Amino acid sequence: MDTGTLSEIGKLLVLQEHDVRIRQIERELRDIPERKKGEEQRLATHQADAAKADDHQKGRQAAIKDLELEVASKREQILKLRRQQVDLKTNKEFQAIDSEIKSVESAIAGLEDKELELMALLEEANQLLAASKRELADEASVVKRDVVAWDQRAAALEAEVATLRAQRDAAAALVQQKAWLALYQRVFSRKDNALVPIEGGVCGGCHLQLPPYVVHEMKKQGTLVTCNFCGRLLYER
Ligand SMILES: [Zn+2]
């Protein structure tokens, strides 16, 4: 193979090395916002859980408060009945009020039993709320750290890709065969790589056996041959 041709291929290979790395970085940069969004969605799920646990706990507190109000009003009722008893004339009337008081007292006892059950449920709700707040705080710090890390990664990649693009342009400027450069760029825009070696008569891109005339053509001076299967440009290592 002609050394001039080899060196043109060599220049294209340097260019391709840069282009492949640039493409990798661009892909990674494109994925970063999606990854950050995923982190934030995870946090939102924990926030929703904590809000739900908070509502649940408040609901139980409110139920206990209602019961307490009901008990207080029944106690008030008993006091009122007792005051009424003072002015009563007959034993029969007295006993009638007495039995009314007993029935209110038994209603209070029932409410107080219910309150004990509700207190146990409130305790459960308190523990659930505390656990979900702890999880939320842990998750928030993880997400915060991860988002900062993604931002730093993005900034580092932006800087790297800017340098690589400058190096890539310099490498492209060194290629004298502008038609080859244009061909390379056209193929690279469609494929993962544009310039591949032939090994044992097989295309290094699509791994298909090339017809002998293609291999023969490639060995000619000053020609750039494309694989007739995948369209990549071929060179001999
Ligand atoms: Zn091929």
Side-chain angles (χ1 to χ4, degrees), residues 196 203-208 210 227-232 234:
V196 295
C203 166
C206 65
H207 308 292
L208 292 174
L210 294 157
C227 168
N228 41 350
F229 303 110
C230 70
R232 289 184 183 85
L234 301 165

Side-chain angles (χ1 to χ4, degrees), residues 201 209-218:
Q209 187 73 44
L210 294 157
Y213 74 86
V214 172
V215 182
H216 180 74
E217 194 67 19
M218 190 198 61

Side-chain angles (χ1 to χ4, degrees), residues 2-3 68 78-79 153 156 186 193 215 219-220 226:
D2 175 65
T3 47
E68 281 170 349
I78 289 173
L79 288 178
R153 177 83 184 136
R186 202 159 60 238
N193 53 4
V215 182
K219 288 175 195 271
K220 274 196 205 160
T226 59

